[in-house]
Amino acid sequence: MASEIRSLAWHDTGLRLLDQTALPQRVVYLDITEVDALIDAIRRLAVRGAPALGAAGAYGVAVAMRQGGREGWDAARLAAEIGRIRDARPTAVNLAGGVDRVLPFAAEGVEAVLAEADAVVREDVEANHAIGRHGADWILSRVGRRPLRVLTHCNTGSLATAGWGTALGIVRELHARGVLEVVYVDETRPLLQGSRLTAWELAQEGIAHLVQPDGAAASTILRGLVDVAVIGADRIAANGDTANKIGSVGVALACADAGIPFVVAAPLTTFDDATAHGDEITIEERPESEVLEVAGVRVAPVESRAFNPAFDVTPARLISVIVNEAGVREY
Ligand SMILES: CSC[C@H]1O[C@H](OP(=O)(O)O)[C@H](O)[C@@H]1O
């Protein structure tokens, strides 16, 4: 079952990652024993999703400590290498949070860091199941139609977390309760986390879904084909403004115009109260080639350049509710 799939796990030799760039065609694992390889995997989105990045950051400290022990790094070099992991992608607060969570245990040795990283994983899975329950309860109390038609954006399932998922965890909970009719899965260009990863997770579990172009999301909503949209988050500012995969704010605008709920699902590790509001959030800009090429084949003219922001920020005024493991916060 995809709900049990693990995006990452520690093995004696190092951190084993399910390479998400190969899915859904191939199930390939990467055994990470060096900092450069982990940073490359993070930047290529071989491991991705805010909570999964938090776990990767936590285990990444152990990877750096093991490599530093093999190569004789001094304390300054080790700190610098850990800092490179922490900074590998800027928008998801979880990556830095995962590193910061285990750092205090480094003085006790790698085993202590690994034990804390294991706790990060356990807590994330527990949080996601709670998010699923709270989110399903809230949706069922606010939306009358049965069964429900849900729209998702990007991938927020087992692959984006330590297991079960956030927004997709709510979808799984609705499915388990027998109240889910269909999931409209935004393909989520340019890296297709929806059509490649969310569709793969849903197909594994026989959950009915329709992959749609991102450009169809607004009209699908405005035509009354969707009852609720549920998305994940990469960083939630103190005022509720939410950074998430590019295209999220368009879904929110359509939901507002259609009068249907726009639900954000995220664990408390994605909340960043040190950031007052959304315009302070750094938006990762990714390589132009991701937009100008499809499957490595150039589709745009050679003269063309591209703008490739990986995230956008949905203002709190467009969010109906943010669901975390402690409950819900309505806006
Ligand atoms: C459960 S959080 C997943 C979150 O992360 C994704 O970004 P990326 O695929 O670039 O790591 C996207 O924003 C999802 O909503």
Side-chain angles (χ1 to χ4, degrees):
M1 290 273 280
S3 60
E4 284 116 43
I5 199 133
R6 290 292 177 263
S7 56
L8 75 169
W10 184 265
H11 285 248
D12 291 344
T13 55
L15 180 58
R16 175 162 291 179
L17 303 175
L18 173 56
D19 185 346
Q20 298 187 35
T21 65
L23 290 173
Q25 286 77 14
R26 293 178 302 127
V27 178
V28 175
Y29 291 91
L30 304 172
D31 285 317
I32 303 293
T33 59
E34 296 190 351
V35 170
D36 284 350
L38 177 56
I39 291 170
D40 177 63
I42 290 170
R43 287 183 174 158
R44 290 191 304 113
L45 280 72
V47 57
R48 47 146 299 280
L53 290 175
Y59 284 120
V61 174
V63 168
M65 292 173 71
R66 281 268 176 89
Q67 183 181 358
R70 294 194 303 270
E71 298 181 10
W73 295 349
D74 62 17
R77 174 69 186 280
L78 176 60
E81 294 294 325
I82 292 171
R84 292 177 61 224
I85 295 169
R86 192 180 189 278
D87 296 340
R89 290 184 74 194
T91 305
V93 65
N94 307 63
L95 177 55
V99 170
D100 296 348
R101 163 82 182 264
V102 304
L103 265 184
F105 296 85
E108 296 174 42
V110 176
E111 291 310 314
V113 167
L114 288 172
E116 195 65 16
D118 290 345
V120 168
V121 167
R122 272 195 316 275
E123 291 165 16
D124 186 59
V125 175
E126 289 167 6
N128 293 335
H129 282 279
I131 289 166
R133 293 189 297 273
H134 293 319
D137 289 346
W138 188 91
I139 290 168
L140 291 169
S141 71
R142 295 297 189 289
V143 180
R145 189 184 190 278
R146 297 293 183 273
L148 289 162
R149 302 157 302 170
V150 179
L151 183 142
T152 68
H153 193 76
C154 198
N155 172 257
T156 60
S158 298
L159 294 170
T161 65
W164 188 252
T166 57
L168 209 63
I170 294 174
V171 167
R172 288 190 160 107
E173 180 69 19
L174 292 170
H175 176 69
R177 297 186 189 184
V179 293
L180 182 68
E181 176 179 322
V182 66
V183 184
Y184 285 91
V185 176
D186 285 356
E187 63 179 349
T188 316
R189 271 192 52 76
L191 297 181
L192 304 177
Q193 289 93 323
S195 56
R196 290 188 306 110
L197 305 179
T198 296
W200 184 75
E201 291 200 44
L202 296 176
Q204 299 264 318
E205 296 171 46
I207 298 176
H209 60 283
L210 295 166
V211 179
Q212 68 175 0
D214 300 323
S219 61
T220 303
I221 290 167
L222 293 177
R223 289 170 59 188
L225 300 177
V226 171
D227 302 303
V228 57
V230 287
I231 70 162
D234 292 84
R235 190 184 295 254
I236 300 172
N239 72 340
D241 293 348
T242 296
N244 196 56
K245 184 52 55 194
I246 192 72
S248 299
V249 71
V251 171
L253 287 165
C255 287
D257 193 77
I260 66 167
F262 180 80
V263 177
V264 173
L268 289 168
T269 50
T270 304
F271 287 68
D272 174 17
D273 289 340
T275 298
H277 33 75
D279 59 19
E280 296 175 8
I281 297 173
T282 299
I283 300 298
E284 177 187 7
E285 288 202 18
R286 293 191 57 81
E288 295 181 40
S289 59
E290 292 176 356
V291 175
L292 298 170
E293 299 171 2
V294 174
V297 177
R298 178 90 185 201
V299 291
V302 293
E303 299 83 359
S304 299
R305 300 289 304 275
F307 178 46
N308 187 14
F311 301 97
D312 58 29
V313 175
T314 298
R317 62 183 171 79
L318 295 176
I319 297 171
S320 306
V321 64
I322 297 181
V323 183
N324 62 43
E325 60 269 39
V328 300
R329 185 191 307 174
E330 294 185 309
Y331 288 83

